[in-house]
Amino acid sequence: MALKNPVFRNLITWKPSQRGQKYFYPYATRPLADEDVVFLNYGYEQDPPMALPLDPSDEPNRYCIQLYHRTATQVDLRGKRVLEVGCGHGGGASYLMRTVQPASYTGLDLNPAGIAFCRKRHDLAGLDFVRGDAENLPFPDQSFDAVINIESSLHYVRFPRFLAEVARVLSPGGHFLYADFRPARGIAAWEAALEGALLRMTAQRVINAEVLRGMEKNSEQWLGRIERHVPALFRGFARDMAGVPAMTLYQEMQRGGLSYRMYRFARP
């Protein structure tokens, strides 16, 4: 099914250059750092609700946390060396370090301002943040027991290159825990890249319904942020991208124009 809004369709399938990633993403997310926004994903909720036990300080981010929790706990990460590629503002890294008890957790992101924010905001033993490129990971072979990637890979310039890097830094028997979405017209290429990776798929499911519920639950927060930080001329566009119900991204996912999926892979 084709995306109906041509402007939105072009944006959602846009593959930015390295220069575009370097400058646009920090610009777009800077106000969110000023507001202490530590999660940037669309969220996740089940029916009936997950009722995940959370500390009071984590409760405002429940639905974003639940996406991290469901993705990461597909395997037991206790005592493991974990890498998150595309860690954003570090909320997921902090939550998982505090709750699933890996031996170490490294969050990597291309945005230097985001990494500086993470280092200041999330000061936990065993948690480290590194600036780096998803397509050229700055780590030796077999450095990690698990790699996590959540709602980040859509805009990678060379997605197959990223998958090759994941396989390289994983130890034998390690896991790639992954959640992201693609427009309908990009799914064949997405599936082909995943099938061609040096990784064995052990679980896959479509989570559109759960992400749509997360969007609904998070919509009030995101509408407030848009009103506070986005110029009036661009607010409609921002609502489209924020996954607010009745706006474009939400509608496209609801009608099947986007497929959001959760995967588990193993490194042979």
Side-chain angles (χ1 to χ4, degrees):
M1 183 178 295
L3 294 173
K4 293 186 175 181
N5 182 326
V7 175
F8 182 81
R9 180 185 65 226
N10 290 336
L11 179 69
I12 209 67
T13 57
W14 175 54
K15 295 292 189 293
S17 65
Q18 190 80 313
R19 183 178 295 273
Q21 290 180 326
K22 182 177 179 181
Y23 294 108
F24 176 76
Y25 177 70
Y27 173 79
T29 59
R30 182 178 55 202
L32 301 180
D34 294 341
E35 198 173 318
D36 199 39
V37 175
V38 296
F39 285 92
L40 303 175
N41 70 66
Y42 286 120
Y44 179 101
E45 179 60 295
Q46 296 176 177
D47 183 21
M50 282 178 65
L52 181 69
L54 294 177
D55 289 341
S57 61
D58 287 325
E59 189 60 44
N61 296 308
R62 165 169 292 280
Y63 305 104
C64 294
I65 283 173
Q66 289 181 167
L67 180 61
Y68 265 87
H69 184 86
R70 273 289 179 256
T71 305
T73 59
Q74 294 181 93
V75 300
D76 184 0
L77 295 177
R78 187 185 303 269
K80 304 296 186 182
R81 302 165 299 166
V82 178
L83 168 67
E84 182 186 351
V85 180
C87 64
H89 286 182
S94 172
Y95 168 77
L96 292 174
M97 189 70 211
R98 289 181 282 116
T99 58
V100 302
Q101 300 178 351
S104 64
Y105 195 111
T106 301
L108 176 139
D109 204 276
L110 188 63
N111 178 11
I115 291 298
F117 172 84
C118 288
R119 289 170 175 166
K120 182 178 180 180
R121 178 64 171 77
H122 308 293
D123 184 14
L124 295 171
L127 178 59
D128 187 29
F129 293 97
V130 175
R131 182 178 181 266
D133 180 1
E135 298 166 12
N136 187 24
L137 297 174
F139 308 108
D141 296 358
Q142 302 182 16
S143 298
F144 299 96
D145 304 304
V147 175
I148 295 171
N149 185 256
I150 293 178
E151 212 170 286
S152 178
S153 73
L154 174 67
H155 297 301
Y156 293 174
V157 179
R158 299 174 299 169
F159 180 64
R161 172 66 181 173
F162 161 66
L163 294 175
E165 283 290 274
V166 169
R168 180 182 66 78
V169 301
L170 275 175
S171 59
H175 290 90
F176 176 42
L177 308 169
Y178 174 52
D180 211 341
F181 67 95
R182 293 291 187 277
R185 70 177 186 174
I187 289 174
W190 189 26
E191 291 176 340
L194 292 170
E195 187 174 328
L198 298 175
L199 299 163
R200 178 172 56 88
M201 186 189 302
T202 58
Q204 172 198 352
R205 65 189 184 99
V206 175
I207 59 170
N208 281 35
E210 291 85 353
V211 173
L212 286 167
R213 290 188 198 99
M215 289 178 177
E216 292 162 4
K217 298 293 187 179
N218 279 332
S219 62
E220 185 175 346
Q221 278 190 6
W222 281 109
L223 283 171
R225 290 163 183 163
I226 289 166
E227 290 299 314
R228 288 190 292 274
H229 296 298
V230 178
L233 180 63
F234 300 110
R235 283 178 190 159
F237 173 74
R239 294 186 193 106
D240 278 340
M241 291 303 297
V244 175
M247 301 304 286
T248 304
L249 189 142
Y250 180 93
Q251 291 178 331
E252 291 295 342
M253 190 173 294
Q254 191 175 49
R255 66 170 55 102
L258 299 172
S259 181
Y260 203 124
R261 302 180 183 183
M262 184 180 295
Y263 291 93
R264 183 181 69 225
F265 294 87
R267 172 74 161 87

